[in-house]
PDB file of all heavy atoms in Angstrom:
ATOM      1  N   ALA A  16      75.341  66.990  48.028  1.00 41.00           N
ATOM      2  CA  ALA A  16      75.165  67.718  49.318  1.00 41.00           C
ATOM      3  C   ALA A  16      74.473  66.846  50.357  1.00 41.00           C
ATOM      4  O   ALA A  16      74.815  66.851  51.541  1.00 41.00           O
ATOM      5  CB  ALA A  16      74.450  69.017  49.096  1.00 41.00           C
ATOM      6  N   VAL A  17      73.511  66.039  49.875  1.00 37.00           N
ATOM      7  CA  VAL A  17      72.808  65.133  50.763  1.00 37.00           C
ATOM      8  C   VAL A  17      73.745  64.108  51.347  1.00 37.00           C
ATOM      9  O   VAL A  17      73.608  63.665  52.489  1.00 37.00           O
ATOM     10  CB  VAL A  17      71.700  64.423  49.993  1.00 37.00           C
ATOM     11  CG1 VAL A  17      71.044  63.319  50.797  1.00 37.00           C
ATOM     12  CG2 VAL A  17      70.640  65.418  49.497  1.00 37.00           C
ATOM     13  N   LEU A  18      74.818  63.781  50.646  1.00 42.00           N
ATOM     14  CA  LEU A  18      75.798  62.834  51.085  1.00 42.00           C
ATOM     15  C   LEU A  18      76.922  63.431  51.896  1.00 42.00           C
ATOM     16  O   LEU A  18      77.828  62.770  52.273  1.00 42.00           O
ATOM     17  CB  LEU A  18      76.357  62.094  49.873  1.00 42.00           C
ATOM     18  CG  LEU A  18      75.328  61.332  49.037  1.00 42.00           C
ATOM     19  CD1 LEU A  18      75.977  60.852  47.775  1.00 42.00           C
ATOM     20  CD2 LEU A  18      74.724  60.253  49.785  1.00 42.00           C
ATOM     21  N   GLY A  19      76.817  64.713  52.158  1.00 45.00           N
ATOM     22  CA  GLY A  19      77.791  65.392  53.011  1.00 45.00           C
ATOM     23  C   GLY A  19      78.953  66.004  52.227  1.00 45.00           C
ATOM     24  O   GLY A  19      79.964  66.418  52.827  1.00 45.00           O
ATOM     25  N   LEU A  20      78.860  66.097  50.935  1.00 48.00           N
ATOM     26  CA  LEU A  20      79.906  66.751  50.134  1.00 48.00           C
ATOM     27  C   LEU A  20      79.592  68.198  49.940  1.00 48.00           C
ATOM     28  O   LEU A  20      78.649  68.583  49.316  1.00 48.00           O
ATOM     29  CB  LEU A  20      80.009  66.059  48.784  1.00 48.00           C
ATOM     30  CG  LEU A  20      81.059  66.643  47.786  1.00 48.00           C
ATOM     31  CD1 LEU A  20      82.491  66.479  48.417  1.00 48.00           C
ATOM     32  CD2 LEU A  20      80.980  65.849  46.477  1.00 48.00           C
ATOM     33  N   GLY A  21      80.362  69.071  50.579  1.00 49.00           N
ATOM     34  CA  GLY A  21      80.144  70.474  50.461  1.00 49.00           C
ATOM     35  C   GLY A  21      80.546  71.027  49.108  1.00 49.00           C
ATOM     36  O   GLY A  21      81.378  70.425  48.428  1.00 49.00           O
ATOM     37  N   SER A  22      80.037  72.186  48.731  1.00 50.00           N
ATOM     38  CA  SER A  22      80.330  72.725  47.436  1.00 50.00           C
ATOM     39  C   SER A  22      81.763  73.084  47.241  1.00 50.00           C
ATOM     40  O   SER A  22      82.284  73.020  46.166  1.00 50.00           O
ATOM     41  CB  SER A  22      79.402  73.948  47.130  1.00 50.00           C
ATOM     42  OG  SER A  22      79.616  74.976  48.075  1.00 50.00           O
ATOM     43  N   ALA A  23      82.446  73.572  48.308  1.00 50.00           N
ATOM     44  CA  ALA A  23      83.880  73.903  48.206  1.00 50.00           C
ATOM     45  C   ALA A  23      84.691  72.632  47.817  1.00 50.00           C
ATOM     46  O   ALA A  23      85.558  72.671  46.974  1.00 50.00           O
ATOM     47  CB  ALA A  23      84.352  74.498  49.521  1.00 50.00           C
ATOM     48  N   ASP A  24      84.355  71.509  48.501  1.00 50.00           N
ATOM     49  CA  ASP A  24      85.014  70.263  48.166  1.00 50.00           C
ATOM     50  C   ASP A  24      84.710  69.804  46.733  1.00 50.00           C
ATOM     51  O   ASP A  24      85.584  69.336  46.021  1.00 50.00           O
ATOM     52  CB  ASP A  24      84.550  69.108  49.090  1.00 50.00           C
ATOM     53  CG  ASP A  24      84.939  69.378  50.561  1.00 50.00           C
ATOM     54  OD1 ASP A  24      86.003  69.927  50.778  1.00 50.00           O
ATOM     55  OD2 ASP A  24      84.146  69.011  51.428  1.00 50.00           O
ATOM     56  N   ALA A  25      83.484  69.979  46.342  1.00 51.00           N
ATOM     57  CA  ALA A  25      83.023  69.479  45.062  1.00 51.00           C
ATOM     58  C   ALA A  25      83.695  70.248  43.892  1.00 51.00           C
ATOM     59  O   ALA A  25      83.953  69.647  42.878  1.00 51.00           O
ATOM     60  CB  ALA A  25      81.496  69.577  44.947  1.00 51.00           C
ATOM     61  N   GLU A  26      83.898  71.507  44.075  1.00 57.00           N
ATOM     62  CA  GLU A  26      84.497  72.321  43.019  1.00 57.00           C
ATOM     63  C   GLU A  26      85.905  71.831  42.634  1.00 57.00           C
ATOM     64  O   GLU A  26      86.355  72.016  41.505  1.00 57.00           O
ATOM     65  CB  GLU A  26      84.604  73.814  43.433  1.00 57.00           C
ATOM     66  CG  GLU A  26      83.216  74.391  43.679  1.00 57.00           C
ATOM     67  CD  GLU A  26      82.331  74.492  42.429  1.00 57.00           C
ATOM     68  OE1 GLU A  26      82.841  74.620  41.307  1.00 57.00           O
ATOM     69  OE2 GLU A  26      81.154  74.305  42.574  1.00 57.00           O
ATOM     70  N   ALA A  27      86.578  71.165  43.533  1.00 67.00           N
ATOM     71  CA  ALA A  27      87.983  70.715  43.324  1.00 67.00           C
ATOM     72  C   ALA A  27      88.015  69.321  42.598  1.00 67.00           C
ATOM     73  O   ALA A  27      89.056  68.917  42.189  1.00 67.00           O
ATOM     74  CB  ALA A  27      88.695  70.630  44.610  1.00 67.00           C
ATOM     75  N   LEU A  28      86.865  68.662  42.481  1.00 77.00           N
ATOM     76  CA  LEU A  28      86.913  67.302  41.874  1.00 77.00           C
ATOM     77  C   LEU A  28      87.084  67.420  40.394  1.00 77.00           C
ATOM     78  O   LEU A  28      86.369  68.145  39.722  1.00 77.00           O
ATOM     79  CB  LEU A  28      85.616  66.578  42.195  1.00 77.00           C
ATOM     80  CG  LEU A  28      85.327  66.167  43.675  1.00 77.00           C
ATOM     81  CD1 LEU A  28      83.996  65.564  43.802  1.00 77.00           C
ATOM     82  CD2 LEU A  28      86.422  65.286  44.203  1.00 77.00           C
ATOM     83  N   PRO A  29      87.962  66.594  39.821  1.00 81.00           N
ATOM     84  CA  PRO A  29      88.066  66.571  38.347  1.00 81.00           C
ATOM     85  C   PRO A  29      86.941  65.880  37.707  1.00 81.00           C
ATOM     86  O   PRO A  29      86.353  64.890  38.315  1.00 81.00           O
ATOM     87  CB  PRO A  29      89.419  65.787  38.117  1.00 81.00           C
ATOM     88  CG  PRO A  29      89.586  64.967  39.387  1.00 81.00           C
ATOM     89  CD  PRO A  29      88.966  65.770  40.479  1.00 81.00           C
ATOM     90  N   VAL A  30      86.504  66.323  36.533  1.00 81.00           N
ATOM     91  CA  VAL A  30      85.373  65.709  35.824  1.00 81.00           C
ATOM     92  C   VAL A  30      85.902  65.091  34.558  1.00 81.00           C
ATOM     93  O   VAL A  30      86.701  65.666  33.800  1.00 81.00           O
ATOM     94  CB  VAL A  30      84.328  66.774  35.433  1.00 81.00           C
ATOM     95  CG1 VAL A  30      83.211  66.194  34.639  1.00 81.00           C
ATOM     96  CG2 VAL A  30      83.851  67.451  36.719  1.00 81.00           C
ATOM     97  N   ALA A  31      85.467  63.793  34.312  1.00 80.00           N
ATOM     98  CA  ALA A  31      85.969  63.108  33.117  1.00 80.00           C
ATOM     99  C   ALA A  31      84.743  62.379  32.454  1.00 80.00           C
ATOM    100  O   ALA A  31      83.840  61.966  33.153  1.00 80.00           O
ATOM    101  CB  ALA A  31      87.033  62.084  33.448  1.00 80.00           C
ATOM    102  N   MET A  32      84.855  62.257  31.130  1.00 81.00           N
ATOM    103  CA  MET A  32      83.875  61.463  30.369  1.00 81.00           C
ATOM    104  C   MET A  32      84.390  60.037  30.300  1.00 81.00           C
ATOM    105  O   MET A  32      85.584  59.846  30.000  1.00 81.00           O
ATOM    106  CB  MET A  32      83.655  62.031  28.970  1.00 81.00           C
ATOM    107  CG  MET A  32      83.105  63.425  28.949  1.00 81.00           C
ATOM    108  SD  MET A  32      81.573  63.613  29.938  1.00 81.00           S
ATOM    109  CE  MET A  32      81.556  65.370  30.123  1.00 81.00           C
ATOM    110  N   ILE A  33      83.535  59.058  30.596  1.00 86.00           N
ATOM    111  CA  ILE A  33      83.976  57.636  30.609  1.00 86.00           C
ATOM    112  C   ILE A  33      82.948  56.805  29.838  1.00 86.00           C
ATOM    113  O   ILE A  33      81.875  57.283  29.533  1.00 86.00           O
ATOM    114  CB  ILE A  33      84.131  57.097  32.067  1.00 86.00           C
ATOM    115  CG1 ILE A  33      82.799  57.199  32.782  1.00 86.00           C
ATOM    116  CG2 ILE A  33      85.212  57.827  32.803  1.00 86.00           C
ATOM    117  CD1 ILE A  33      82.832  56.528  34.110  1.00 86.00           C
ATOM    118  N   ALA A  34      83.241  55.552  29.635  1.00 87.00           N
ATOM    119  CA  ALA A  34      82.339  54.579  29.067  1.00 87.00           C
ATOM    120  C   ALA A  34      82.430  53.281  29.824  1.00 87.00           C
ATOM    121  O   ALA A  34      83.549  52.803  30.052  1.00 87.00           O
ATOM    122  CB  ALA A  34      82.658  54.340  27.600  1.00 87.00           C
ATOM    123  N   GLY A  35      81.352  52.767  30.344  1.00 85.00           N
ATOM    124  CA  GLY A  35      81.328  51.507  31.074  1.00 85.00           C
ATOM    125  C   GLY A  35      81.312  50.330  30.096  1.00 85.00           C
ATOM    126  O   GLY A  35      81.057  50.499  28.891  1.00 85.00           O
ATOM    127  N   ALA A  36      81.606  49.162  30.591  1.00 89.00           N
ATOM    128  CA  ALA A  36      81.549  47.938  29.809  1.00 89.00           C
ATOM    129  C   ALA A  36      80.334  47.159  30.150  1.00 89.00           C
ATOM    130  O   ALA A  36      79.851  47.153  31.318  1.00 89.00           O
ATOM    131  CB  ALA A  36      82.842  47.122  30.107  1.00 89.00           C
ATOM    132  N   GLY A  37      79.770  46.431  29.190  1.00 87.00           N
ATOM    133  CA  GLY A  37      78.620  45.606  29.467  1.00 87.00           C
ATOM    134  C   GLY A  37      77.394  46.127  28.816  1.00 87.00           C
ATOM    135  O   GLY A  37      77.355  47.083  28.074  1.00 87.00           O
ATOM    136  N   ALA A  38      76.284  45.417  29.083  1.00 80.00           N
ATOM    137  CA  ALA A  38      74.981  45.750  28.509  1.00 80.00           C
ATOM    138  C   ALA A  38      74.412  47.085  29.169  1.00 80.00           C
ATOM    139  O   ALA A  38      74.871  47.451  30.246  1.00 80.00           O
ATOM    140  CB  ALA A  38      73.950  44.595  28.756  1.00 80.00           C
ATOM    141  N   ALA A  39      73.468  47.704  28.497  1.00 65.00           N
ATOM    142  CA  ALA A  39      72.948  48.975  28.980  1.00 65.00           C
ATOM    143  C   ALA A  39      72.362  48.880  30.330  1.00 65.00           C
ATOM    144  O   ALA A  39      72.402  49.791  31.117  1.00 65.00           O
ATOM    145  CB  ALA A  39      71.846  49.468  27.974  1.00 65.00           C
TER     146      ALA A  39
END
């Protein structure tokens, strides 16, 4: 919300579990 993303917009975003590459 601080970045200007309203909750209505946010509800439509897909959520996925990912894994990055590289060291921690």
